[in-house]
Amino acid sequence: MKQAPSIPISGERLTTDFYQQATATVAKALIGKAILHRVGAVWLGGWIVETEAYLHVRDPASHSARGLTASNRSMFQAPGTLYVYPIHAKHCLNAVTESAGQGAAVLIRAIEPVWGTERMQSHRGPVNMRRLTAGPAMLCQALDIDRRDDGRSLTHDPDLGIFEASEVPPRAVATTRRIGISKSAHRMLRFVDPQSPFLSRPYRKK
DNA sequence: ACTACGATTACCT
DNA sequence: GGTAATCGTAGTG
């Protein structure tokens, strides 16, 4: 009988209670948590170091701002749903927040690679470790997550989830403007571990 | 059918 | 620092 290998970390999976908090709260609290995806026998993942909040009200930058469509429907599913969308021939991954029908999510932009780094390197090609998962599309490619994974559950899928890291001390969190958007560009809804060398852009205190 | 555009990235000076 | 590549969406006719 085939048994799925258990996660390579001692810690609790984040549950619906976590994701249904206010989106900016979730985005900030995700810094220092572990995201894990099992591909074959190998767990891929690392510590989350950079996130952005996309709100369900008064946020024109959010994909939900113009309502439900065929392509953003999983953003309106239950909190803890994975929302994967294509952009510039690449993919980005989000965790749905608030409650079903709202359309709010946290974009996970960068992680510190920890588990399955050799396998992630094979997905990404020959890049420096610093560039392995230092951006939302780099992260998806390394974790082997694409549109086919849209709608999976971060709270119930045995091969995918985000976990509390009991053995790692809490990290500092700094707040900045979101990256790469034109609407609502002034809002401070990006959260980073300012010390991390694995950010999509280095943190600069203003 | 055609067009414009984007929550990006790699590569250039 | 700047910019070209790339393709799925969404809006228009």
Side-chain angles (χ1 to χ4, degrees), chain A residues 1 5 21 42-43 58 89 111 132 167 173 175 188 197 205:
Chain A
M1 172 132 132
Q21 300 175 91
V42 185
W43 283 98
R58 288 188 292 280
I111 69 173
L132 187 61
E167 67 268 32
V173 180
T175 306
M188 302 291 274
K205 196 173 161 187

Side-chain angles (χ1 to χ4, degrees), chain A residues 8-204:
Chain A
I9 181 180
S10 109
E12 298 290 318
R13 178 189 288 261
L14 302 181
T15 61
T16 302
D17 292 347
F18 178 87
Y19 295 102
Q20 64 189 5
Q21 300 175 91
T23 304
T25 302
V26 174
K28 186 173 183 179
L30 280 174
I31 302 300
K33 303 292 193 288
I35 184 168
L36 287 165
H37 180 213
R38 188 174 72 88
V39 174
V42 185
W43 283 98
L44 311 177
W47 307 116
I48 296 170
V49 297
E50 176 178 344
T51 63
E52 287 177 358
Y54 287 88
L55 312 183
H56 62 292
V57 285
R58 288 188 292 280
D59 187 4
S62 174
H63 289 172
S64 62
R66 272 162 290 182
L68 178 67
T69 68
S71 56
N72 70 8
R73 66 192 180 283
S74 60
M75 197 174 172
F76 293 83
Q77 300 294 111
T81 299
L82 184 75
Y83 168 46
V84 180
Y85 68 89
I87 185 164
H88 291 286
K90 301 169 177 65
H91 296 277
C92 299
L93 72 92
N94 299 249
V96 174
T97 58
E98 310 272 349
S99 53
Q102 297 293 287
V106 173
L107 171 68
I108 300 177
R109 291 189 52 91
I111 69 173
E112 173 182 334
V114 180
W115 300 281
T117 54
E118 281 190 17
R119 181 64 178 269
M120 291 196 285
Q121 300 252 28
S122 76
H123 294 151
R124 287 276 295 128
V127 296
N128 190 290
M129 186 67 67
R130 289 281 184 96
R131 304 261 75 193
L132 187 61
T133 54
M138 297 183 194
L139 172 60
C140 274
Q141 189 180 23
L143 291 179
D144 193 26
I145 285 173
D146 63 26
R147 197 94 232 258
R148 298 188 306 269
D149 300 298
D150 181 51
R152 287 173 73 177
S153 172
L154 291 163
T155 54
H156 292 91
D157 191 312
D159 299 329
L160 177 70
I162 303 178
F163 299 81
E164 181 88 49
S166 54
E167 67 268 32
V168 168
R171 306 183 178 214
V173 180
T175 306
T176 79
R177 290 170 170 76
R178 294 176 292 185
I179 290 176
I181 57 171
S182 53
K183 302 163 189 163
S184 300
H186 64 285
R187 300 187 75 170
M188 302 291 274
L189 290 171
R190 173 173 173 254
F191 303 91
V192 302
D193 168 358
Q195 316 266 46
S196 175
F198 300 99
L199 301 178
S200 65
R201 296 185 189 180
Y203 175 69
R204 302 196 58 73

